[in-house]
Amino acid sequence: MSQNETLRSLLEAVANGKVTPDTAFDSLKDLTYESVGEFAKIDHHRQLRTGFPEVIWGPGKTPDQIAQIIEVMRLRNPVVMATRIEPAVYTALESKVNGLRYYESARICAIAPSTIEPQFGGEIGILSAGTADLPVAEEAAVTAELSGFRVQRLWDVGVAGIHRLLSNRHLIESASVLIVVAGMEGALPSVVAGLASCPVIAVPTSIGYGASFGGLAPLLTMLNSCAAGVGVVNIDNGFGAAVLAGQILRTAEKLRLASAAS
């Protein structure tokens, strides 16, 4: 049975009272995807299932492939995002896709409204240990903002000058969830978690001398944190950290609404 036939059958079952609207809604979460040429299948219903739409991973795709995927996705989504887009790739995309915006520090390009009002309560605080960690930290910040979350940035507050962090404790105290990005030895998340009352998402970066092994050293430091309440994502995964932080805030909102309704 084709996707169109499946959808028609489901709608007829709802109209005849054989399937409830809630059951139909759950079925639709896994129903459709759309092929783009012979190289991609766009999961249009990912936002229904997870709360976040599919995002384009840039490396390994040609500018023409990325452009075709963006054009298909923009027909159904107010925000379309592609990650790890280098300047030369964006230059090629700019002539192919109208209205494309580029966040150079984050290496993200997107189709998005000029302003996005926060859709959820709470605030994501994002801290970076050093200036060299900014591409990963900005990837997290821009991803969170494009997803409708309020973000507060605090850059270059690593443990080598701990007073820079301690003089900004108000950000740590006001955040609902914290993303802490660090390379080298990766100590900053443990320090922040020792000061914070909210979840801390640690992001190791591949910044560091040879013994950091491309981010493995900070990854192991973060996994071995003596501070409680630290979760760790993969090396350089600012995007994943932002989505996890968003899921934490979305879950808090669900619980608040359920409590208010009871």
Side-chain angles (χ1 to χ4, degrees):
M1 184 180 292
S2 70
Q3 290 181 32
N4 286 343
E5 290 170 336
T6 300
L7 180 57
R8 180 179 293 277
S9 175
L10 179 62
L11 293 175
E12 287 175 350
V14 173
N16 295 331
K18 296 179 180 178
V19 174
T20 68
D22 286 341
T23 300
F25 181 81
D26 287 337
S27 299
L28 287 171
K29 288 181 180 180
D30 299 300
L31 184 62
T32 67
Y33 63 85
E34 182 174 354
S35 296
V36 182
E38 296 181 354
F39 56 84
K41 292 178 175 62
I42 307 304
D43 181 5
H44 288 304
H45 280 197
R46 186 171 301 184
Q47 184 158 11
L48 280 176
R49 297 195 313 273
T50 70
F52 295 91
E54 186 168 13
V55 170
I56 303 162
W57 170 256
K61 296 182 178 70
T62 67
D64 188 58
Q65 288 172 334
I66 296 170
Q68 288 185 60
I69 294 170
I70 289 173
E71 293 295 355
V72 169
M73 292 181 69
R74 75 188 305 176
L75 297 176
R76 300 209 190 188
N77 300 283
V79 175
V80 179
M81 185 170 73
T83 64
R84 301 300 169 95
I85 302 297
E86 298 299 334
V89 176
Y90 171 68
T91 299
L93 287 171
E94 194 175 18
S95 62
K96 300 175 182 290
V97 181
N98 292 329
L100 194 64
R101 300 171 61 190
Y102 189 48
Y103 304 83
E104 186 171 1
S105 295
R107 296 171 295 174
I108 286 173
C109 66
I111 301 291
S114 56
T115 58
I116 299 178
E117 293 297 323
Q119 302 170 34
F120 306 95
E123 180 177 273
I124 300 173
I126 305 180
L127 291 71
S128 77
T131 303
D133 300 310
L134 281 184
V136 176
E138 274 292 337
E139 181 180 78
V142 172
T143 297
E145 289 173 335
L146 290 174
S147 299
F149 296 95
R150 184 177 291 103
V151 169
Q152 185 71 253
R153 293 166 168 83
L154 182 60
W155 298 159
D156 197 23
V157 290
V159 297
I162 197 67
H163 56 289
R164 298 172 299 177
L165 174 68
L166 297 178
S167 65
N168 287 280
R169 285 190 63 178
H170 60 280
L171 186 147
I172 296 173
E173 293 165 355
S174 66
S176 307
V177 59
L178 288 160
I179 296 172
V180 184
V181 182
M184 296 291 187
E185 83 289 4
L188 184 61
S190 291
V191 175
V192 171
L195 301 170
S197 61
C198 64
V200 173
I201 301 169
V203 188
T205 71
S206 52
I207 299 301
Y209 295 105
S212 72
F213 298 108
L216 285 176
L219 171 64
L220 293 174
T221 296
M222 294 171 186
L223 289 171
N224 285 284
S225 174
C226 62
V230 178
V232 187
V233 298
N234 207 346
I235 298 167
D236 291 336
N237 192 8
F239 169 79
V243 172
L244 177 55
Q247 293 287 40
I248 290 170
L249 293 185
R250 287 171 60 88
T251 299
E253 182 74 2
K254 284 182 185 177
L255 293 173
R256 185 189 67 79
L257 292 175
S259 177
S262 63

